[in-house]
Amino acid sequence: MKKILAIMLAVLMVFAICSCGKKEETQTNGDTNETVVDNNDAQPADDGEDAQPADDGDDAGETDEESGTLVMATNAFFKPYEYYEGEEIVGIDAEIAAEIAKKLGKELVIEDMEFSSIITAVQEGSVDFGMAGMTVTDERKESVNFSSSYANGVQSIIVKEDSPITTVDDLFGDAVYKIGVQLGTTGDIYASDDFGAENVIQYSKGNEAVLALVGGSIDCVIIDNEPAKALVAENEGLKILETSYADEDYAICVAKENTELLDQINVAIDELTAEGVIDAIVAKYIK
Ligand code: ARG
């Protein structure tokens, strides 16, 4: 009898500890910006403090078995990696992310935001990861971890067809040019370094920079090559310089402390690469 009682007690204690752990993880999410993780005053579940925060349907930050969703932050004005088709966000990143989520047994939720907000959202845990044709840089690595790279990127320069700028070297010459970029991108960072922030005009979206170029208020746009091709195809009188400005690797970013998710994503990327899935998705969007 004593033995049975002891076993029952042990089982109860395990339950109490488990529900306590879950409570803390779920409280790190939500729109409240509230982060409650204090393992020191973990209490058993029956202390009346185990109420869960109201479920706002946003499972970001929960990457444990409890959450059925995986929340991705992106900036969906970056064809062919992420862009709107009607209400839906499609593209290479969206499809690869959906395949990764499938492997992890989760449903993918995509949150569209300013490109320059993605890393902060990942750090704060309001989303699980960032995927936005995002270039791996040493500076970003100080804030987030990056997965293995799933694609290469090239920074290209868009000019008007009759532009005096004919090669990248022209930008480094004596003439001063106004350069359009998307805020917070590597194009922005590198151009500000090379040509001075006063000559770099930051736009919220790449297509806004291209519209300014068409309108004549800037002389060129520095942006990733595939989006550049899409933008040139959509606007008359523009061309991409043959010489590129920088070569880069794209990867998924995850919060520093979330090494478990990073490992899972890397395994998924390896498998998807071996299965030919990533190549097939890229081939679908880049002819
Ligand atoms: N590759 C560039 C960077 O990481 C630009 C990415 C912009 N992506 C986007 N979805 N708007 O800075």
Side-chain angles (χ1 to χ4, degrees), residues 98-259:
E99 293 293 337
I100 292 173
K102 207 196 281 175
K103 286 207 182 273
L104 269 56
K106 311 220 174 194
E107 188 202 332
L108 180 70
V109 174
I110 303 182
E111 261 187 49
D112 186 18
M113 59 182 72
E114 290 291 308
F115 180 76
S116 54
S117 303
I118 296 174
I119 289 188
T120 313
V122 168
Q123 280 182 299
E124 285 174 350
S126 62
V127 298
D128 295 313
F129 67 94
M131 189 172 191
M134 188 181 280
T135 304
V136 180
T137 71
D138 288 339
E139 204 189 336
R140 288 174 181 165
K141 274 191 197 162
E142 286 172 18
S143 311
V144 286
N145 282 336
F146 280 99
S147 70
S148 30
S149 175
Y150 63 90
N152 298 317
V154 174
Q155 292 299 310
S156 288
I157 298 174
I158 309 177
V159 292
K160 281 195 173 175
E161 265 161 7
D162 57 358
S163 172
I165 305 167
T166 56
T167 70
V168 174
D169 290 342
D170 290 341
L171 289 180
F172 290 90
D174 289 337
V176 174
Y177 295 108
K178 290 283 174 215
I179 300 165
V181 295
Q182 184 182 17
L183 174 69
T185 58
T186 46
D188 181 9
I189 298 160
Y190 304 155
S192 300
D193 274 357
D194 285 344
F195 312 112
E198 69 279 11
N199 296 314
V200 177
I201 324 286
Q202 300 161 316
Y203 297 87
S204 154
K205 300 181 181 81
N207 74 307
E208 291 167 1
V210 167
L211 288 179
L213 176 63
V214 171
S217 59
I218 56 174
D219 300 299
C220 66
V221 172
I222 299 183
I223 191 165
D224 303 51
N225 191 242
E226 289 303 327
K229 285 190 207 161
L231 289 164
V232 166
E234 286 160 12
N235 293 275
E236 298 232 319
L238 302 179
K239 66 177 183 192
I240 300 171
L241 296 188
E242 267 161 36
T243 46
S244 65
Y245 178 50
D247 294 320
E248 351 189 87
D249 293 316
Y250 291 166
I252 293 172
C253 68
V254 180
K256 286 263 182 207
E257 60 276 12
N258 205 348
T259 52

